[in-house]
Amino acid sequence: MGKKYSFLNKVVLITGGGRGIGLATAVAFRKLGAKVAIGDIDLELAQQAATKVQGFGGYLDVRSQNSFHDLIVQIEKQWGPIDILVNNAGIMPMGAMVEESQAITDAQIDINLRGVIHGMKAVLPKMLARQTGAYRQCRFSGR
């Protein structure tokens, strides 16, 4: 049996955390004692969700590396470095893919793929430097 991991006072950033699965994840992490930061493209929704979990809510457009940077600076000023990143933001248009516009296809790639990559590039270097987070728990770095 492996060592039980404690989320107490761990700093968790959840992208797209203003509603749905992201908000449910935020509630679960808060119940485990984590400090929860919610990033969402809808700032008002992020702040409302953060209030529900006694957390931090800020604007985040996962399509932008600068947006990740700006939010992370705010979180680190308040709580310190991010321990856990939940790349939850995503879109899933309904309907036949062959009828989907190129703009929708591009948005899916920008949010669902590039958004995850932007998030990892924003937090992973600091995790690696501290030998914590994804590096420590999953040996995810590939190094």
Side-chain angles (χ1 to χ4, degrees):
M1 188 96 178
K3 179 182 169 188
K4 186 173 179 177
Y5 186 77
S6 172
F7 294 101
L8 186 63
N9 293 317
K10 297 294 182 186
V11 178
V12 179
L13 169 55
I14 302 171
T15 70
R19 69 182 129 232
I21 294 170
L23 180 55
T25 303
V27 169
F29 271 112
R30 183 65 188 119
K31 285 180 181 177
L32 294 170
K35 297 175 182 176
V36 179
I38 294 172
D40 202 287
I41 198 161
D42 183 331
L43 176 59
E44 186 176 335
L45 200 58
Q47 291 172 336
Q48 289 172 358
T51 298
K52 293 177 184 176
V53 295
Q54 297 89 41
F56 175 84
Y59 174 79
L60 176 63
D61 181 348
V62 298
R63 299 170 294 184
S64 164
Q65 290 176 322
N66 290 334
S67 186
F68 262 108
H69 175 267
D70 294 346
L71 180 62
I72 289 168
V73 166
Q74 294 174 50
I75 295 165
E76 287 178 341
K77 280 183 183 177
Q78 184 165 338
W79 289 329
I82 294 169
D83 298 298
I84 299 163
L85 170 65
V86 178
N87 277 307
N88 171 72
I91 62 170
M92 190 175 115
M94 302 307 283
M97 188 169 90
V98 295
E99 296 172 7
E100 187 174 275
S101 72
Q102 188 60 45
I104 293 295
T105 301
D106 291 344
Q108 287 178 82
I109 292 168
D110 287 343
I111 295 167
N112 299 354
L113 175 60
R114 286 190 183 99
V116 171
I117 293 168
H118 293 330
M120 294 306 297
K121 284 184 173 184
V123 301
L124 192 55
K126 292 178 183 182
M127 288 180 177
L128 290 170
R130 294 187 334 267
Q131 295 187 359
T132 186
Y135 174 79
R136 188 170 139 252
Q137 296 306 314
C138 305
R139 302 292 189 245
F140 182 74
S141 72
R143 291 186 183 172

